[in-house]
Every structure is written in structure tokens, then in C-alpha cells.
PDB file of all heavy atoms in Angstrom:
ATOM      1  N   SER A 718      16.319   5.142  11.746  1.00  0.00           N
ATOM      2  CA  SER A 718      15.881   3.941  12.435  1.00  0.00           C
ATOM      3  C   SER A 718      14.360   3.837  12.478  1.00  0.00           C
ATOM      4  O   SER A 718      13.803   2.741  12.357  1.00  0.00           O
ATOM      5  CB  SER A 718      16.455   3.893  13.851  1.00  0.00           C
ATOM      6  OG  SER A 718      16.040   5.016  14.613  1.00  0.00           O
ATOM      7  N   VAL A 719      13.679   4.953  12.651  1.00  0.00           N
ATOM      8  CA  VAL A 719      12.223   4.946  12.654  1.00  0.00           C
ATOM      9  C   VAL A 719      11.686   4.649  11.262  1.00  0.00           C
ATOM     10  O   VAL A 719      10.761   3.852  11.089  1.00  0.00           O
ATOM     11  CB  VAL A 719      11.674   6.287  13.176  1.00  0.00           C
ATOM     12  CG1 VAL A 719      10.160   6.354  13.002  1.00  0.00           C
ATOM     13  CG2 VAL A 719      12.046   6.474  14.638  1.00  0.00           C
ATOM     14  N   PHE A 720      12.246   5.290  10.264  1.00  0.00           N
ATOM     15  CA  PHE A 720      11.812   5.055   8.900  1.00  0.00           C
ATOM     16  C   PHE A 720      11.973   3.584   8.525  1.00  0.00           C
ATOM     17  O   PHE A 720      11.081   2.980   7.929  1.00  0.00           O
ATOM     18  CB  PHE A 720      12.594   5.942   7.937  1.00  0.00           C
ATOM     19  CG  PHE A 720      12.149   5.816   6.507  1.00  0.00           C
ATOM     20  CD1 PHE A 720      11.118   6.602   6.016  1.00  0.00           C
ATOM     21  CD2 PHE A 720      12.761   4.908   5.656  1.00  0.00           C
ATOM     22  CE1 PHE A 720      10.704   6.492   4.705  1.00  0.00           C
ATOM     23  CE2 PHE A 720      12.353   4.791   4.347  1.00  0.00           C
ATOM     24  CZ  PHE A 720      11.319   5.582   3.863  1.00  0.00           C
ATOM     25  N   THR A 721      13.104   3.012   8.869  1.00  0.00           N
ATOM     26  CA  THR A 721      13.391   1.633   8.514  1.00  0.00           C
ATOM     27  C   THR A 721      12.411   0.660   9.167  1.00  0.00           C
ATOM     28  O   THR A 721      12.000  -0.320   8.548  1.00  0.00           O
ATOM     29  CB  THR A 721      14.825   1.264   8.906  1.00  0.00           C
ATOM     30  OG1 THR A 721      15.744   2.133   8.232  1.00  0.00           O
ATOM     31  CG2 THR A 721      15.142  -0.173   8.543  1.00  0.00           C
ATOM     32  N   ALA A 722      12.004   0.930  10.395  1.00  0.00           N
ATOM     33  CA  ALA A 722      11.197   0.000  11.165  1.00  0.00           C
ATOM     34  C   ALA A 722       9.695   0.186  10.997  1.00  0.00           C
ATOM     35  O   ALA A 722       8.921  -0.644  11.482  1.00  0.00           O
ATOM     36  CB  ALA A 722      11.557   0.115  12.647  1.00  0.00           C
ATOM     37  N   SER A 723       9.271   1.235  10.333  1.00  0.00           N
ATOM     38  CA  SER A 723       7.857   1.584  10.294  1.00  0.00           C
ATOM     39  C   SER A 723       7.187   1.107   9.009  1.00  0.00           C
ATOM     40  O   SER A 723       7.705   1.345   7.914  1.00  0.00           O
ATOM     41  CB  SER A 723       7.688   3.098  10.412  1.00  0.00           C
ATOM     42  OG  SER A 723       8.238   3.579  11.627  1.00  0.00           O
ATOM     43  N   PRO A 724       6.034   0.451   9.128  1.00  0.00           N
ATOM     44  CA  PRO A 724       5.274   0.084   7.928  1.00  0.00           C
ATOM     45  C   PRO A 724       4.868   1.321   7.140  1.00  0.00           C
ATOM     46  O   PRO A 724       4.502   2.349   7.713  1.00  0.00           O
ATOM     47  CB  PRO A 724       4.042  -0.645   8.484  1.00  0.00           C
ATOM     48  CG  PRO A 724       4.465  -1.120   9.842  1.00  0.00           C
ATOM     49  CD  PRO A 724       5.392  -0.050  10.352  1.00  0.00           C
ATOM     50  N   MET A 725       4.918   1.208   5.845  1.00  0.00           N
ATOM     51  CA  MET A 725       4.543   2.297   4.960  1.00  0.00           C
ATOM     52  C   MET A 725       3.796   1.745   3.765  1.00  0.00           C
ATOM     53  O   MET A 725       3.705   0.530   3.574  1.00  0.00           O
ATOM     54  CB  MET A 725       5.776   3.086   4.490  1.00  0.00           C
ATOM     55  CG  MET A 725       6.573   3.726   5.609  1.00  0.00           C
ATOM     56  SD  MET A 725       7.915   4.783   5.004  1.00  0.00           S
ATOM     57  CE  MET A 725       6.961   6.118   4.245  1.00  0.00           C
ATOM     58  N   GLY A 726       3.259   2.643   2.962  1.00  0.00           N
ATOM     59  CA  GLY A 726       2.574   2.199   1.767  1.00  0.00           C
ATOM     60  C   GLY A 726       1.796   3.312   1.112  1.00  0.00           C
ATOM     61  O   GLY A 726       2.065   4.500   1.328  1.00  0.00           O
ATOM     62  N   TRP A 727       0.832   2.893   0.316  1.00  0.00           N
ATOM     63  CA  TRP A 727       0.038   3.819  -0.479  1.00  0.00           C
ATOM     64  C   TRP A 727      -1.432   3.466  -0.411  1.00  0.00           C
ATOM     65  O   TRP A 727      -1.793   2.287  -0.399  1.00  0.00           O
ATOM     66  CB  TRP A 727       0.482   3.774  -1.949  1.00  0.00           C
ATOM     67  CG  TRP A 727       1.887   4.209  -2.188  1.00  0.00           C
ATOM     68  CD1 TRP A 727       3.011   3.452  -2.095  1.00  0.00           C
ATOM     69  CD2 TRP A 727       2.316   5.515  -2.575  1.00  0.00           C
ATOM     70  NE1 TRP A 727       4.124   4.205  -2.403  1.00  0.00           N
ATOM     71  CE2 TRP A 727       3.721   5.468  -2.698  1.00  0.00           C
ATOM     72  CE3 TRP A 727       1.655   6.711  -2.835  1.00  0.00           C
ATOM     73  CZ2 TRP A 727       4.477   6.588  -3.070  1.00  0.00           C
ATOM     74  CZ3 TRP A 727       2.397   7.823  -3.202  1.00  0.00           C
ATOM     75  CH2 TRP A 727       3.788   7.752  -3.318  1.00  0.00           C
ATOM     76  N   TYR A 728      -2.267   4.470  -0.378  1.00  0.00           N
ATOM     77  CA  TYR A 728      -3.683   4.269  -0.585  1.00  0.00           C
ATOM     78  C   TYR A 728      -4.189   5.323  -1.562  1.00  0.00           C
ATOM     79  O   TYR A 728      -3.498   6.297  -1.865  1.00  0.00           O
ATOM     80  CB  TYR A 728      -4.477   4.276   0.722  1.00  0.00           C
ATOM     81  CG  TYR A 728      -4.460   5.566   1.511  1.00  0.00           C
ATOM     82  CD1 TYR A 728      -5.456   6.520   1.315  1.00  0.00           C
ATOM     83  CD2 TYR A 728      -3.473   5.813   2.466  1.00  0.00           C
ATOM     84  CE1 TYR A 728      -5.460   7.698   2.039  1.00  0.00           C
ATOM     85  CE2 TYR A 728      -3.476   6.988   3.197  1.00  0.00           C
ATOM     86  CZ  TYR A 728      -4.465   7.922   2.987  1.00  0.00           C
ATOM     87  OH  TYR A 728      -4.467   9.094   3.716  1.00  0.00           O
ATOM     88  N   ARG A 729      -5.388   5.103  -2.061  1.00  0.00           N
ATOM     89  CA  ARG A 729      -5.931   6.016  -3.044  1.00  0.00           C
ATOM     90  C   ARG A 729      -7.412   6.234  -2.786  1.00  0.00           C
ATOM     91  O   ARG A 729      -8.077   5.412  -2.167  1.00  0.00           O
ATOM     92  CB  ARG A 729      -5.715   5.480  -4.463  1.00  0.00           C
ATOM     93  CG  ARG A 729      -6.490   4.206  -4.780  1.00  0.00           C
ATOM     94  CD  ARG A 729      -6.096   3.653  -6.144  1.00  0.00           C
ATOM     95  NE  ARG A 729      -6.846   2.450  -6.480  1.00  0.00           N
ATOM     96  CZ  ARG A 729      -6.629   1.714  -7.559  1.00  0.00           C
ATOM     97  NH1 ARG A 729      -5.670   2.050  -8.420  1.00  0.00           N
ATOM     98  NH2 ARG A 729      -7.363   0.628  -7.783  1.00  0.00           N
ATOM     99  N   GLN A 730      -7.906   7.350  -3.297  1.00  0.00           N
ATOM    100  CA  GLN A 730      -9.316   7.656  -3.166  1.00  0.00           C
ATOM    101  C   GLN A 730      -9.783   8.449  -4.383  1.00  0.00           C
ATOM    102  O   GLN A 730      -9.165   9.439  -4.760  1.00  0.00           O
ATOM    103  CB  GLN A 730      -9.611   8.436  -1.889  1.00  0.00           C
ATOM    104  CG  GLN A 730     -11.093   8.592  -1.602  1.00  0.00           C
ATOM    105  CD  GLN A 730     -11.360   9.006  -0.173  1.00  0.00           C
ATOM    106  OE1 GLN A 730     -10.532   9.643   0.463  1.00  0.00           O
ATOM    107  NE2 GLN A 730     -12.524   8.642   0.337  1.00  0.00           N
ATOM    108  N   ALA A 731     -10.858   7.990  -4.962  1.00  0.00           N
ATOM    109  CA  ALA A 731     -11.493   8.666  -6.079  1.00  0.00           C
ATOM    110  C   ALA A 731     -12.841   9.199  -5.624  1.00  0.00           C
ATOM    111  O   ALA A 731     -13.449   8.661  -4.691  1.00  0.00           O
ATOM    112  CB  ALA A 731     -11.664   7.713  -7.261  1.00  0.00           C
ATOM    113  N   PRO A 732     -13.339  10.255  -6.256  1.00  0.00           N
ATOM    114  CA  PRO A 732     -14.644  10.798  -5.878  1.00  0.00           C
ATOM    115  C   PRO A 732     -15.733   9.738  -5.921  1.00  0.00           C
ATOM    116  O   PRO A 732     -15.850   8.988  -6.893  1.00  0.00           O
ATOM    117  CB  PRO A 732     -14.890  11.895  -6.918  1.00  0.00           C
ATOM    118  CG  PRO A 732     -13.526  12.306  -7.355  1.00  0.00           C
ATOM    119  CD  PRO A 732     -12.720  11.040  -7.335  1.00  0.00           C
ATOM    120  N   GLY A 733     -16.530   9.674  -4.858  1.00  0.00           N
ATOM    121  CA  GLY A 733     -17.620   8.727  -4.798  1.00  0.00           C
ATOM    122  C   GLY A 733     -17.223   7.308  -4.448  1.00  0.00           C
ATOM    123  O   GLY A 733     -18.092   6.431  -4.413  1.00  0.00           O
ATOM    124  N   LYS A 734     -15.964   7.070  -4.194  1.00  0.00           N
ATOM    125  CA  LYS A 734     -15.489   5.737  -3.865  1.00  0.00           C
ATOM    126  C   LYS A 734     -14.831   5.739  -2.494  1.00  0.00           C
ATOM    127  O   LYS A 734     -14.321   6.761  -2.031  1.00  0.00           O
ATOM    128  CB  LYS A 734     -14.495   5.231  -4.907  1.00  0.00           C
ATOM    129  CG  LYS A 734     -15.060   5.109  -6.306  1.00  0.00           C
ATOM    130  CD  LYS A 734     -14.011   4.641  -7.301  1.00  0.00           C
ATOM    131  CE  LYS A 734     -13.523   3.246  -6.988  1.00  0.00           C
ATOM    132  NZ  LYS A 734     -12.542   2.760  -8.000  1.00  0.00           N
ATOM    133  N   GLU A 735     -14.866   4.583  -1.865  1.00  0.00           N
ATOM    134  CA  GLU A 735     -14.205   4.445  -0.579  1.00  0.00           C
ATOM    135  C   GLU A 735     -12.694   4.440  -0.759  1.00  0.00           C
ATOM    136  O   GLU A 735     -12.168   4.062  -1.802  1.00  0.00           O
ATOM    137  CB  GLU A 735     -14.647   3.147   0.114  1.00  0.00           C
ATOM    138  CG  GLU A 735     -16.110   3.107   0.492  1.00  0.00           C
ATOM    139  CD  GLU A 735     -16.476   1.841   1.234  1.00  0.00           C
ATOM    140  OE1 GLU A 735     -15.599   0.969   1.401  1.00  0.00           O
ATOM    141  OE2 GLU A 735     -17.634   1.723   1.652  1.00  0.00           O
ATOM    142  N   ARG A 736     -12.008   4.878   0.286  1.00  0.00           N
ATOM    143  CA  ARG A 736     -10.565   4.838   0.257  1.00  0.00           C
ATOM    144  C   ARG A 736     -10.089   3.401   0.149  1.00  0.00           C
ATOM    145  O   ARG A 736     -10.601   2.511   0.830  1.00  0.00           O
ATOM    146  CB  ARG A 736      -9.989   5.496   1.511  1.00  0.00           C
ATOM    147  CG  ARG A 736      -8.488   5.681   1.475  1.00  0.00           C
ATOM    148  CD  ARG A 736      -7.993   6.357   2.735  1.00  0.00           C
ATOM    149  NE  ARG A 736      -8.150   5.514   3.898  1.00  0.00           N
ATOM    150  CZ  ARG A 736      -7.784   5.859   5.134  1.00  0.00           C
ATOM    151  NH1 ARG A 736      -7.260   7.056   5.345  1.00  0.00           N
ATOM    152  NH2 ARG A 736      -7.966   5.028   6.135  1.00  0.00           N
ATOM    153  N   GLU A 737      -9.119   3.172  -0.689  1.00  0.00           N
ATOM    154  CA  GLU A 737      -8.617   1.839  -0.955  1.00  0.00           C
ATOM    155  C   GLU A 737      -7.137   1.763  -0.621  1.00  0.00           C
ATOM    156  O   GLU A 737      -6.344   2.570  -1.113  1.00  0.00           O
ATOM    157  CB  GLU A 737      -8.841   1.448  -2.423  1.00  0.00           C
ATOM    158  CG  GLU A 737      -8.312   0.067  -2.789  1.00  0.00           C
ATOM    159  CD  GLU A 737      -8.460  -0.249  -4.258  1.00  0.00           C
ATOM    160  OE1 GLU A 737      -8.564   0.692  -5.071  1.00  0.00           O
ATOM    161  OE2 GLU A 737      -8.484  -1.448  -4.612  1.00  0.00           O
ATOM    162  N   LEU A 738      -6.781   0.796   0.177  1.00  0.00           N
ATOM    163  CA  LEU A 738      -5.379   0.542   0.450  1.00  0.00           C
ATOM    164  C   LEU A 738      -4.790  -0.188  -0.747  1.00  0.00           C
ATOM    165  O   LEU A 738      -5.207  -1.301  -1.080  1.00  0.00           O
ATOM    166  CB  LEU A 738      -5.218  -0.284   1.723  1.00  0.00           C
ATOM    167  CG  LEU A 738      -3.789  -0.592   2.163  1.00  0.00           C
ATOM    168  CD1 LEU A 738      -3.019   0.687   2.461  1.00  0.00           C
ATOM    169  CD2 LEU A 738      -3.797  -1.503   3.384  1.00  0.00           C
ATOM    170  N   VAL A 739      -3.808   0.424  -1.375  1.00  0.00           N
ATOM    171  CA  VAL A 739      -3.254  -0.092  -2.617  1.00  0.00           C
ATOM    172  C   VAL A 739      -2.101  -1.047  -2.362  1.00  0.00           C
ATOM    173  O   VAL A 739      -2.037  -2.134  -2.941  1.00  0.00           O
ATOM    174  CB  VAL A 739      -2.802   1.065  -3.528  1.00  0.00           C
ATOM    175  CG1 VAL A 739      -2.106   0.529  -4.776  1.00  0.00           C
ATOM    176  CG2 VAL A 739      -3.997   1.923  -3.909  1.00  0.00           C
ATOM    177  N   ALA A 740      -1.170  -0.639  -1.515  1.00  0.00           N
ATOM    178  CA  ALA A 740       0.028  -1.429  -1.293  1.00  0.00           C
ATOM    179  C   ALA A 740       0.639  -1.080   0.046  1.00  0.00           C
ATOM    180  O   ALA A 740       0.571   0.068   0.485  1.00  0.00           O
ATOM    181  CB  ALA A 740       1.052  -1.196  -2.404  1.00  0.00           C
ATOM    182  N   THR A 741       1.227  -2.075   0.687  1.00  0.00           N
ATOM    183  CA  THR A 741       1.946  -1.865   1.931  1.00  0.00           C
ATOM    184  C   THR A 741       3.313  -2.522   1.833  1.00  0.00           C
ATOM    185  O   THR A 741       3.500  -3.497   1.097  1.00  0.00           O
ATOM    186  CB  THR A 741       1.197  -2.429   3.149  1.00  0.00           C
ATOM    187  OG1 THR A 741       1.026  -3.845   2.993  1.00  0.00           O
ATOM    188  CG2 THR A 741      -0.174  -1.772   3.292  1.00  0.00           C
ATOM    189  N   ILE A 742       4.242  -1.981   2.597  1.00  0.00           N
ATOM    190  CA  ILE A 742       5.574  -2.561   2.663  1.00  0.00           C
ATOM    191  C   ILE A 742       6.071  -2.446   4.097  1.00  0.00           C
ATOM    192  O   ILE A 742       6.127  -1.354   4.659  1.00  0.00           O
ATOM    193  CB  ILE A 742       6.537  -1.893   1.658  1.00  0.00           C
ATOM    194  CG1 ILE A 742       7.923  -2.536   1.742  1.00  0.00           C
ATOM    195  CG2 ILE A 742       6.598  -0.380   1.845  1.00  0.00           C
ATOM    196  CD1 ILE A 742       8.825  -2.155   0.572  1.00  0.00           C
ATOM    197  N   THR A 743       6.378  -3.586   4.681  1.00  0.00           N
ATOM    198  CA  THR A 743       6.902  -3.622   6.033  1.00  0.00           C
ATOM    199  C   THR A 743       8.396  -3.902   6.057  1.00  0.00           C
ATOM    200  O   THR A 743       9.048  -3.689   7.068  1.00  0.00           O
ATOM    201  CB  THR A 743       6.167  -4.672   6.880  1.00  0.00           C
ATOM    202  OG1 THR A 743       6.264  -5.956   6.247  1.00  0.00           O
ATOM    203  CG2 THR A 743       4.694  -4.301   7.017  1.00  0.00           C
ATOM    204  N   SER A 744       8.924  -4.394   4.962  1.00  0.00           N
ATOM    205  CA  SER A 744      10.345  -4.566   4.743  1.00  0.00           C
ATOM    206  C   SER A 744      10.555  -4.611   3.240  1.00  0.00           C
ATOM    207  O   SER A 744       9.592  -4.601   2.469  1.00  0.00           O
ATOM    208  CB  SER A 744      10.882  -5.829   5.420  1.00  0.00           C
ATOM    209  OG  SER A 744      10.425  -6.990   4.762  1.00  0.00           O
ATOM    210  N   ARG A 745      11.810  -4.681   2.841  1.00  0.00           N
ATOM    211  CA  ARG A 745      12.082  -4.693   1.410  1.00  0.00           C
ATOM    212  C   ARG A 745      11.507  -5.909   0.709  1.00  0.00           C
ATOM    213  O   ARG A 745      11.276  -5.867  -0.505  1.00  0.00           O
ATOM    214  CB  ARG A 745      13.589  -4.598   1.160  1.00  0.00           C
ATOM    215  CG  ARG A 745      14.185  -3.231   1.446  1.00  0.00           C
ATOM    216  CD  ARG A 745      15.663  -3.210   1.133  1.00  0.00           C
ATOM    217  NE  ARG A 745      16.413  -4.075   2.033  1.00  0.00           N
ATOM    218  CZ  ARG A 745      17.707  -4.337   1.912  1.00  0.00           C
ATOM    219  NH1 ARG A 745      18.397  -3.796   0.917  1.00  0.00           N
ATOM    220  NH2 ARG A 745      18.313  -5.129   2.775  1.00  0.00           N
ATOM    221  N   THR A 746      11.257  -6.976   1.439  1.00  0.00           N
ATOM    222  CA  THR A 746      10.743  -8.203   0.838  1.00  0.00           C
ATOM    223  C   THR A 746       9.336  -8.559   1.281  1.00  0.00           C
ATOM    224  O   THR A 746       8.791  -9.562   0.822  1.00  0.00           O
ATOM    225  CB  THR A 746      11.677  -9.379   1.143  1.00  0.00           C
ATOM    226  OG1 THR A 746      11.797  -9.545   2.560  1.00  0.00           O
ATOM    227  CG2 THR A 746      13.061  -9.129   0.554  1.00  0.00           C
ATOM    228  N   ASP A 747       8.744  -7.789   2.160  1.00  0.00           N
ATOM    229  CA  ASP A 747       7.413  -8.066   2.686  1.00  0.00           C
ATOM    230  C   ASP A 747       6.463  -6.997   2.171  1.00  0.00           C
ATOM    231  O   ASP A 747       6.414  -5.890   2.710  1.00  0.00           O
ATOM    232  CB  ASP A 747       7.431  -8.098   4.212  1.00  0.00           C
ATOM    233  CG  ASP A 747       6.111  -8.563   4.799  1.00  0.00           C
ATOM    234  OD1 ASP A 747       5.176  -8.865   4.035  1.00  0.00           O
ATOM    235  OD2 ASP A 747       6.021  -8.636   6.049  1.00  0.00           O
ATOM    236  N   THR A 748       5.720  -7.341   1.142  1.00  0.00           N
ATOM    237  CA  THR A 748       4.790  -6.403   0.521  1.00  0.00           C
ATOM    238  C   THR A 748       3.427  -7.037   0.363  1.00  0.00           C
ATOM    239  O   THR A 748       3.285  -8.264   0.338  1.00  0.00           O
ATOM    240  CB  THR A 748       5.302  -5.937  -0.855  1.00  0.00           C
ATOM    241  OG1 THR A 748       5.476  -7.083  -1.708  1.00  0.00           O
ATOM    242  CG2 THR A 748       6.632  -5.210  -0.714  1.00  0.00           C
ATOM    243  N   ARG A 749       2.421  -6.199   0.240  1.00  0.00           N
ATOM    244  CA  ARG A 749       1.051  -6.668   0.075  1.00  0.00           C
ATOM    245  C   ARG A 749       0.326  -5.693  -0.844  1.00  0.00           C
ATOM    246  O   ARG A 749       0.535  -4.482  -0.772  1.00  0.00           O
ATOM    247  CB  ARG A 749       0.349  -6.776   1.437  1.00  0.00           C
ATOM    248  CG  ARG A 749      -1.083  -7.242   1.388  1.00  0.00           C
ATOM    249  CD  ARG A 749      -1.559  -7.610   2.791  1.00  0.00           C
ATOM    250  NE  ARG A 749      -1.460  -6.495   3.716  1.00  0.00           N
ATOM    251  CZ  ARG A 749      -2.423  -5.603   3.920  1.00  0.00           C
ATOM    252  NH1 ARG A 749      -3.563  -5.704   3.253  1.00  0.00           N
ATOM    253  NH2 ARG A 749      -2.251  -4.628   4.794  1.00  0.00           N
ATOM    254  N   TYR A 750      -0.565  -6.253  -1.676  1.00  0.00           N
ATOM    255  CA  TYR A 750      -1.247  -5.444  -2.675  1.00  0.00           C
ATOM    256  C   TYR A 750      -2.736  -5.723  -2.685  1.00  0.00           C
ATOM    257  O   TYR A 750      -3.179  -6.836  -2.401  1.00  0.00           O
ATOM    258  CB  TYR A 750      -0.690  -5.730  -4.073  1.00  0.00           C
ATOM    259  CG  TYR A 750       0.781  -5.448  -4.221  1.00  0.00           C
ATOM    260  CD1 TYR A 750       1.730  -6.442  -4.015  1.00  0.00           C
ATOM    261  CD2 TYR A 750       1.224  -4.171  -4.570  1.00  0.00           C
ATOM    262  CE1 TYR A 750       3.084  -6.176  -4.150  1.00  0.00           C
ATOM    263  CE2 TYR A 750       2.571  -3.903  -4.703  1.00  0.00           C
ATOM    264  CZ  TYR A 750       3.498  -4.906  -4.493  1.00  0.00           C
ATOM    265  OH  TYR A 750       4.834  -4.635  -4.626  1.00  0.00           O
ATOM    266  N   ALA A 751      -3.498  -4.700  -3.042  1.00  0.00           N
ATOM    267  CA  ALA A 751      -4.905  -4.896  -3.290  1.00  0.00           C
ATOM    268  C   ALA A 751      -5.086  -5.766  -4.526  1.00  0.00           C
ATOM    269  O   ALA A 751      -4.276  -5.731  -5.460  1.00  0.00           O
ATOM    270  CB  ALA A 751      -5.606  -3.552  -3.488  1.00  0.00           C
ATOM    271  N   ASP A 752      -6.158  -6.553  -4.534  1.00  0.00           N
ATOM    272  CA  ASP A 752      -6.403  -7.427  -5.673  1.00  0.00           C
ATOM    273  C   ASP A 752      -6.500  -6.648  -6.982  1.00  0.00           C
ATOM    274  O   ASP A 752      -6.108  -7.145  -8.040  1.00  0.00           O
ATOM    275  CB  ASP A 752      -7.688  -8.226  -5.461  1.00  0.00           C
ATOM    276  CG  ASP A 752      -7.556  -9.283  -4.385  1.00  0.00           C
ATOM    277  OD1 ASP A 752      -6.418  -9.673  -4.069  1.00  0.00           O
ATOM    278  OD2 ASP A 752      -8.593  -9.731  -3.867  1.00  0.00           O
ATOM    279  N   SER A 753      -6.991  -5.433  -6.912  1.00  0.00           N
ATOM    280  CA  SER A 753      -7.202  -4.643  -8.112  1.00  0.00           C
ATOM    281  C   SER A 753      -5.909  -4.220  -8.796  1.00  0.00           C
ATOM    282  O   SER A 753      -5.934  -3.835  -9.967  1.00  0.00           O
ATOM    283  CB  SER A 753      -8.035  -3.399  -7.785  1.00  0.00           C
ATOM    284  OG  SER A 753      -7.400  -2.613  -6.796  1.00  0.00           O
ATOM    285  N   VAL A 754      -4.778  -4.283  -8.092  1.00  0.00           N
ATOM    286  CA  VAL A 754      -3.518  -3.817  -8.668  1.00  0.00           C
ATOM    287  C   VAL A 754      -2.451  -4.902  -8.717  1.00  0.00           C
ATOM    288  O   VAL A 754      -1.348  -4.646  -9.226  1.00  0.00           O
ATOM    289  CB  VAL A 754      -2.968  -2.592  -7.906  1.00  0.00           C
ATOM    290  CG1 VAL A 754      -4.016  -1.500  -7.833  1.00  0.00           C
ATOM    291  CG2 VAL A 754      -2.493  -2.980  -6.513  1.00  0.00           C
ATOM    292  N   LYS A 755      -2.747  -6.081  -8.222  1.00  0.00           N
ATOM    293  CA  LYS A 755      -1.758  -7.157  -8.232  1.00  0.00           C
ATOM    294  C   LYS A 755      -1.285  -7.456  -9.645  1.00  0.00           C
ATOM    295  O   LYS A 755      -2.081  -7.549 -10.572  1.00  0.00           O
ATOM    296  CB  LYS A 755      -2.336  -8.423  -7.598  1.00  0.00           C
ATOM    297  CG  LYS A 755      -2.455  -8.372  -6.092  1.00  0.00           C
ATOM    298  CD  LYS A 755      -3.013  -9.679  -5.537  1.00  0.00           C
ATOM    299  CE  LYS A 755      -3.114  -9.642  -4.028  1.00  0.00           C
ATOM    300  NZ  LYS A 755      -3.715 -10.886  -3.477  1.00  0.00           N
ATOM    301  N   GLY A 756       0.010  -7.594  -9.780  1.00  0.00           N
ATOM    302  CA  GLY A 756       0.596  -7.865 -11.080  1.00  0.00           C
ATOM    303  C   GLY A 756       0.886  -6.631 -11.890  1.00  0.00           C
ATOM    304  O   GLY A 756       1.579  -6.721 -12.919  1.00  0.00           O
ATOM    305  N   ARG A 757       0.381  -5.485 -11.469  1.00  0.00           N
ATOM    306  CA  ARG A 757       0.582  -4.243 -12.207  1.00  0.00           C
ATOM    307  C   ARG A 757       1.391  -3.214 -11.414  1.00  0.00           C
ATOM    308  O   ARG A 757       2.152  -2.449 -12.002  1.00  0.00           O
ATOM    309  CB  ARG A 757      -0.760  -3.624 -12.602  1.00  0.00           C
ATOM    310  CG  ARG A 757      -1.608  -4.522 -13.491  1.00  0.00           C
ATOM    311  CD  ARG A 757      -2.834  -3.784 -14.019  1.00  0.00           C
ATOM    312  NE  ARG A 757      -3.726  -3.362 -12.941  1.00  0.00           N
ATOM    313  CZ  ARG A 757      -4.034  -2.092 -12.681  1.00  0.00           C
ATOM    314  NH1 ARG A 757      -3.540  -1.116 -13.435  1.00  0.00           N
ATOM    315  NH2 ARG A 757      -4.864  -1.795 -11.685  1.00  0.00           N
TER     316      ARG A 757
END
């Protein structure tokens, strides 16, 4: 029940760069992406 209700996603970090939020998912149909990865 906690897993199902909790927002999750991915972020990434490369040396010398700020941490970037890549993708989030709050439900199976509610997702959001960074502009740098949209479409990919």
C-alpha cells in the first residue's frame, strides 16, 4: 500500500554537474520527464 501510493522516480548526477531529476511517476499514467530526456 505504501509503495503504490508513494511518488517515485529517477535522478542522475555526473561529475561536475548538478543533480538532475530525470523522471517521476506518481501513478501508472502520471509521469513527468526532464526536457533533456523527453521522447527517449
Side-chain angles (χ1 to χ4, degrees):
S718 60
V719 172
F720 183 88
T721 301
S723 300
M725 300 186 68
W727 297 85
Y728 63 92
R729 66 187 181 185
Q730 189 164 27
K734 299 178 64 177
E735 295 183 357
R736 188 179 67 179
E737 179 184 23
L738 182 61
V739 175
T741 61
I742 181 167
T743 57
S744 71
R745 288 182 294 174
T746 59
D747 188 0
T748 59
R749 179 167 59 89
Y750 300 92
D752 289 340
S753 58
V754 306
K755 286 181 179 177
R757 300 188 297 119

